[in-house]
Amino acid sequence: MSALKFVPRRSEERGHASHGWLKTFHTFSFAGYFDNNHESFGPLRVLNEDRVDAYTGFDTHSHREFEIFSYVVEGALEHKDSLGNIEQLPRGTLQLTSAGTGISHSEKAYGSSPVHFLQIWAKPWKAGLQPKYYTRRFTNEEKMDKWAKVVAPYGSEGVNDEREGEGPAPVQSALTMYASIVSPGTQLDRALKGSKAYVHVVQTSGYKTGPGAGASVKIGDGDGDGEVELREGDGVYVFVGAGGGIVKVENVGESTAEVLVFDLE
């Protein structure tokens, strides 16, 4: 196992925009936000934390050559696309669109409440894929103080190609995504197989600009060197190296933390 190197990405350093109906944070360069030090990390290209007001959202627009998935944190998201899919996606839903050669879709808040979700894009491992659509649903219980594998590479163990089914959604990329709700005082280990990883603490206690607040999580590899403490909205780049490694996630605060880990090549 390799010794891990951690480089924090603080919430207040993310790109941020408020458009009235949309409040959004960008971990990587996106739309009007550009930082050549934070354009992507391995196949992970976009990690946006979005809040969309009720009765509003992203009108129909097109994508190609990206794997695009939405992780719904609070409220419900309504998805419509050019493949004929129309679906309402409540908290706990992971929706994945393999845009491939091209797809058009809209994403809007469903019902009378706003929706909080993470919009994530990954680079596919090859161009010209057939567009596909998947949904997976994970309860709080499935994530409570344990890791739920919510996205994994197409063809890997435990992954099926059903539109709706059990297990992780299939992604045509060298990316595996895990989610957990970590209780105060709990530590979880996450084995990493890729050469790098990214950890993000979801901003579950409410929208906040400036330094992260709310839940507090310590990230390390167990040897005490290079440990970082993250608050909601913060993330950390993890450099793993050859041979894989284990990242330790410990909730050192007083409230539960929703944590995402991206295992990346």
Side-chain angles (χ1 to χ4, degrees), residues 174 234 249:
D234 291 343
V249 177

Side-chain angles (χ1 to χ4, degrees), residues 5-41:
K5 178 183 176 182
F6 303 100
V7 179
R9 174 72 160 138
R10 298 298 178 187
S11 184
E12 68 271 23
E13 298 170 353
R14 297 186 290 176
H16 173 256
S18 179
H19 302 288
W21 62 274
L22 167 68
K23 295 179 178 65
T24 180
F25 293 96
H26 309 314
T27 295
F28 304 107
S29 296
F30 189 83
Y33 168 67
F34 176 76
D35 185 334
N36 59 11
N37 294 313
H38 303 282
E39 292 192 64
S40 61
F41 196 52

Side-chain angles (χ1 to χ4, degrees), residues 46-244:
V46 171
L47 177 54
N48 292 347
E49 189 157 3
D50 291 345
R51 286 174 170 83
V52 175
D53 284 350
Y55 309 112
T56 67
F58 301 94
D59 291 329
T60 301
H61 56 285
S62 298
H63 296 284
R64 59 183 298 147
E65 306 302 353
F66 273 108
E67 304 289 287
I68 300 171
F69 36 112
S70 299
Y71 178 90
V72 183
V73 178
E74 185 176 10
L77 187 69
E78 182 173 62
H79 171 97
K80 297 181 181 180
D81 65 39
S82 55
L83 298 178
N85 297 296
I86 301 175
E87 196 163 15
Q88 290 78 47
L89 311 169
R91 170 170 169 76
T93 304
L94 188 292
Q95 177 269 320
L96 190 150
T97 298
S98 182
T101 54
I103 191 171
S104 297
H105 71 171
S106 65
E107 306 278 356
K108 298 188 176 185
Y110 178 72
S112 59
S113 299
V115 62
H116 174 197
F117 70 105
L118 276 77
Q119 179 186 169
I120 303 155
W121 299 11
K123 303 170 190 175
W125 46 41
K126 65 178 180 179
L129 295 166
Q130 178 185 352
K132 290 189 176 182
Y133 175 90
Y134 305 96
T135 56
R136 299 291 187 267
R137 302 181 192 276
F138 300 90
T139 64
N140 285 350
E141 184 180 19
E142 289 176 286
K143 295 182 283 187
M144 185 60 67
D145 293 331
K146 55 192 171 187
W147 296 109
K149 185 189 292 186
V150 297
V151 175
Y154 184 89
S156 60
E157 184 179 357
V159 177
N160 68 71
D161 194 36
E162 298 174 7
R163 181 187 181 281
E164 297 185 37
E166 300 296 321
V171 65
Q172 302 269 6
S173 185
L175 175 153
T176 303
M177 175 181 169
Y178 300 91
S180 181
I181 302 168
V182 187
S183 300
T186 298
Q187 178 181 291
L188 299 178
D189 291 356
R190 179 65 260 157
L192 302 173
K193 297 181 179 180
S195 62
K196 57 183 68 72
Y198 191 81
V199 181
H200 179 75
V201 183
V202 181
Q203 206 179 48
T204 50
S205 65
Y207 170 74
K208 183 183 183 300
T209 58
S216 184
V217 175
K218 185 170 68 176
I219 308 294
D221 61 5
D223 65 7
D225 294 332
E227 289 182 340
V228 295
E229 189 168 325
L230 305 180
R231 306 297 296 272
E232 292 179 13
D234 291 343
V236 63
Y237 296 103
V238 184
F239 296 87
V240 181

